[in-house]
Amino acid sequence: MNDRKLGRPVPDWTPPPRPDRERLEGRLVRLEPLVADAHALALHDAFEGHDDLWDYMPYGPFTSGTAYHRWARQREAGDDPQFLVLVDQASGLPGGIASYLRITPEAGSIEVGHICIAPRMQRGAAATEAMFLMMDWAFHAGYRRYEWKCNALNLASRRAAQRLGFSFEGVFRNHLIVKGRNRDTAWFSVIDSEWPALQEAFRVWLDPTNFDAMGRQRERLSDLTRLVRAASDPALER
């Protein structure tokens, strides 16, 4: 039988478990399941005044803490997506939110999305560590494919995906209608065979010795992940 025509065999495949709202602990950040009463008002305070955070989201901006609490209450017990709150280890304050979604254990595929990081946590090591912790959980659980999708116009999200080691897979045209507007969707992924090298890249970058006394990085994560990526995003090279 010609495997080149039929695909590589995947012997003894066992679907991985679904995420179970477990807490993920890092040095700089912890991720804990969204609980509206515990997190919503603090998250709203962190997001308030930055309506651009919601430009590419299918919801928001939120006019009040009450409105955001209502949104969080509707989603805190959801099975897919499953929302996690990024809590700064030093201050104990929530600084962002993300989720696992399109969870497909039978195919070994899972996506990260609904990422919203407050300005105080943006461009910091804690947000990067959070993305590492979520990816690390997925591959240790046995997932084969970890996805990132975003509006193709959202160049900041496309840059973030590439920096984190995701490989560009293309753009799905006329993929969705969001807030009454067309959305072309850029697709990225990391697969299990790439994870050991990416895991080491994250560990090198997150090591405290990679930062000087002012917190400035010595090595860039994008430099460490570049050799692992199977394909780069051409939109970022223009």
Side-chain angles (χ1 to χ4, degrees), residues 170-190:
V171 173
F172 278 38
R173 300 176 299 162
N174 287 4
H175 181 222
L176 298 168
I177 298 174
V178 179
K179 294 178 178 174
R181 295 178 182 271
N182 176 66
R183 171 174 144 164
D184 295 347
T185 299
W187 289 52
F188 300 82
S189 75
V190 174

Side-chain angles (χ1 to χ4, degrees), residues 56 115 148-151 154-162 188:
Y56 297 108
I115 302 166
W148 177 299
K149 303 187 185 87
C150 63
N151 190 309
N154 189 350
L155 292 182
S157 184
R158 294 172 75 158
R159 273 192 290 271
Q162 184 156 288
F188 300 82

Side-chain angles (χ1 to χ4, degrees), residues 34-183:
L34 172 66
V35 177
D37 289 348
H39 301 121
L41 292 183
L43 283 170
H44 180 263
D45 287 346
F47 299 147
E48 192 172 19
H50 302 280
D51 287 357
D52 58 309
L53 293 172
W54 312 104
D55 284 352
Y56 297 108
M57 296 289 196
Y59 42 78
F62 297 89
T63 57
S64 66
T66 300
Y68 190 77
H69 183 277
R70 186 179 308 115
W71 175 89
R73 173 75 77 188
Q74 293 169 346
R75 285 155 180 83
E76 63 183 1
D79 188 54
D80 189 344
Q82 287 189 27
F83 283 90
L84 295 169
V85 177
L86 284 62
V87 180
D88 182 84
Q89 292 281 38
S91 68
L93 294 174
I97 194 167
S99 76
Y100 291 119
L101 70 157
R102 296 185 178 88
I103 304 163
T104 315
E106 61 273 20
S109 177
I110 192 168
E111 182 178 339
V112 61
H114 295 279
I115 302 166
C116 189
I117 309 297
R120 67 172 179 238
M121 193 176 271
Q122 288 177 5
R123 299 182 181 86
T128 298
E129 185 182 50
M131 294 298 98
F132 164 72
L133 291 171
M134 291 183 71
M135 209 182 310
D136 191 56
W137 179 90
F139 285 116
H140 272 94
Y143 284 87
R144 307 169 60 233
R145 174 178 170 84
Y146 193 78
E147 297 181 334
W148 177 299
K149 303 187 185 87
C150 63
N151 190 309
L153 297 174
N154 189 350
L155 292 182
S157 184
R158 294 172 75 158
R159 273 192 290 271
Q162 184 156 288
R163 172 179 174 268
L164 293 168
F166 286 81
S167 295
F168 177 70
E169 294 186 327
V171 173
F172 278 38
R173 300 176 299 162
N174 287 4
H175 181 222
L176 298 168
I177 298 174
V178 179
K179 294 178 178 174
R181 295 178 182 271
N182 176 66
R183 171 174 144 164

Side-chain angles (χ1 to χ4, degrees), residues 198-211:
L198 279 180
Q199 183 183 51
E200 181 60 21
F202 276 107
R203 285 179 171 160
V204 168
W205 189 84
L206 287 166
D207 191 288
T209 61
N210 189 44
F211 299 88

